């Protein structure tokens, strides 16, 4: 029996968060100088100054130095003393008709806001028990710099000051890897799989596997494996451990599993493939006992890890072509499809 769709209360809260963040980004892009002034003040308070090359043709701005240091600052990503939150990670997002439009003009709800809403609801029950990168001190600070907005990058001085076109992604890649390195105990991934273009696959999952306070067995996914996969693949390659180390979208890169070809393989071939991928990414961890979760996390009944289908239940009010026969119930053959994942965005809601 399949799990429920992402619950309506999570959906509603996530949409509110997405709209608020979209409005803040628009405001920042209209007044980029005020954002740069804040960054410059923080850099000056840290004692930083522009570094100019001997020939005077290039400089590394104090703002760039400050942001680089922030992305590696473990202290600003470490939970407050006395708390041991479940660290949530996220990747990509889903189409949603009520969400702000992404850079491709599609209404798109980032998994970031779904993860943040889940964390907020957990913390409302028991404070200090859940977090996302963007709710940490360092994540909030970097998020408030709005580096995805081109107006901000230009106001920071652009390439002449060390802010090349891909700088925003590079900064978020680095802070995401740092965040993974300081996580502890159970972690929760808001994605169904890791995409090879996303920081989740490129940085975070590896950092979590190599983190002795997390490790392979403490990585949990908030969503089931894709329902489009054959049942054999869902059962054997759709486990938390395999999804934490394998990739399913690029046959030309290492650790690839073709969900359909995999199901057609002999059982021993399937096992050998999974074992080889596990050993390549997380040596000896597949057979090792799980790292014991911190005491504050050791109450799964009060802090259950969600397990949902990847999508939202389509509301009855959505306008669709009239069916020729009786409308089937949701979740059965012939039912209107749920709003589906979309992985073509870039920027804050894209490969992250």
């Amino acid at each position: 029996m399949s799990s429920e769709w992402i619950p309506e209360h999570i959906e509603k809260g996530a949409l509110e968060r997405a709209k608020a963040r979209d409005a803040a980004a628009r405001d920042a892009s209209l007044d980029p100088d005020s954002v740069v002034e804040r960054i410059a003040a923080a850099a000056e308070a840290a004692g930083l100054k522009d570094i100019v090359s001997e020939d005077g043709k290039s400089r590394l701005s104090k703002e760039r130095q400050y942001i680089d240091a922030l992305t590696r600052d473990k202290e600003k990503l470490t939970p407050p003393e006395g708390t041991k939150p479940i660290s949530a990670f996220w990747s990509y997002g889903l189409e949603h008709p009520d969400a702000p439009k992404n850079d491709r003009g599609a209404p798109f709800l980032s998994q970031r806001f779904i993860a943040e809403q889940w964390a907020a609801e957990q913390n409302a029950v028991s404070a200090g028990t859940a977090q996302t990168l963007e709710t940490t001190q360092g994540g909030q600070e970097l998020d408030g710099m709005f580096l995805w907005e081109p107006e901000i990058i230009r106001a920071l001085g652009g390439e002449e000051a060390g802010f090349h076109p891909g700088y925003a992604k590079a900064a978020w890649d680095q802070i995401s890897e740092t965040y993974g390195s300081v996580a502890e105990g159970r972690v929760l991934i808001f994605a169904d799989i890791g995409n090879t273009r996303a920081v989740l696959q490129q940085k975070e999952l590896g950092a979590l596997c190599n983190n002795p306070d997390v490790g392979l067995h403490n990585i949990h996914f908030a969503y089931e494996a894709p329902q489009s996969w054959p049942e054999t693949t869902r059962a054997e390659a759709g486990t938390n451990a395999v999804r934490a180390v394998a990739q399913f979208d690029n046959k030309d890169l290492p650790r690839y599993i073709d969900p359909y070809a995999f199901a057609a393989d002999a059982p021993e071939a399937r096992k050998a493939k999974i074992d080889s991928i596990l050993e390549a990414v997380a040596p000896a961890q597949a057979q090792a006992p799980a790292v014991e979760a911190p005491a504050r996390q050791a109450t799964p009944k009060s802090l259950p890890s969600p397990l949902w289908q990847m999508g939202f239940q389509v509301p009855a009010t959505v306008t669709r072509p009239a069916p020729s026969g009786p409308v089937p119930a949701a979740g059965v053959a012939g039912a209107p499809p749920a709003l589906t994942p979309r992985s073509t965005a870039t920027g804050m809601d894209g490969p992250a």
Side-chain angles (χ1 to χ4, degrees), residues 162-350:
F163 293 95
H164 54 80
Y167 182 75
K169 184 179 186 306
W172 278 102
D173 281 1
Q174 180 56 59
I175 200 171
S176 297
E177 185 173 13
T178 307
Y179 176 60
S181 74
V182 299
E184 188 174 356
R186 283 186 292 150
V187 301
L188 188 60
I189 309 297
F190 282 81
D192 57 352
I193 58 173
N195 187 288
T196 52
R197 292 182 299 159
V199 66
L200 174 66
Q201 179 72 244
Q202 294 174 355
K203 302 286 186 180
E204 292 172 334
L205 288 171
L208 293 170
C209 284
N210 293 325
N211 181 340
D213 293 322
V214 180
L216 180 66
H217 293 290
N218 272 320
I219 299 173
H220 299 270
F221 283 76
Y223 303 110
E224 296 179 343
Q227 292 193 327
S228 60
W229 288 1
E231 191 54 41
T232 296
T233 306
R234 280 170 55 85
E236 297 179 16
T239 64
N240 286 317
V242 177
R243 285 189 283 163
V245 296
Q247 57 94 1
F248 305 88
D249 66 287
N250 193 329
K251 64 181 178 60
D252 297 321
L253 294 178
R255 308 194 307 278
Y256 174 67
I257 292 178
D258 181 323
Y260 306 98
F262 179 87
D265 285 342
E268 58 271 19
R270 298 197 301 266
K271 182 179 185 304
K273 187 171 190 65
I274 286 175
D275 287 348
S276 67
I277 294 174
L278 285 167
E279 188 60 25
V281 181
Q285 290 190 46
Q287 290 76 38
V291 177
E292 185 177 353
R296 286 292 297 276
Q297 292 186 340
T299 52
K301 289 184 179 180
S302 63
L303 272 177
S305 293
L307 185 60
W308 302 321
Q309 292 186 48
M310 172 70 97
F312 304 101
Q313 181 62 59
V314 176
T317 55
V318 170
T319 301
R320 295 182 179 277
S324 57
V327 178
V332 301
L339 300 175
T340 54
R342 183 180 182 91
S343 59
T344 56
T346 57
M348 184 184 75
D349 294 332

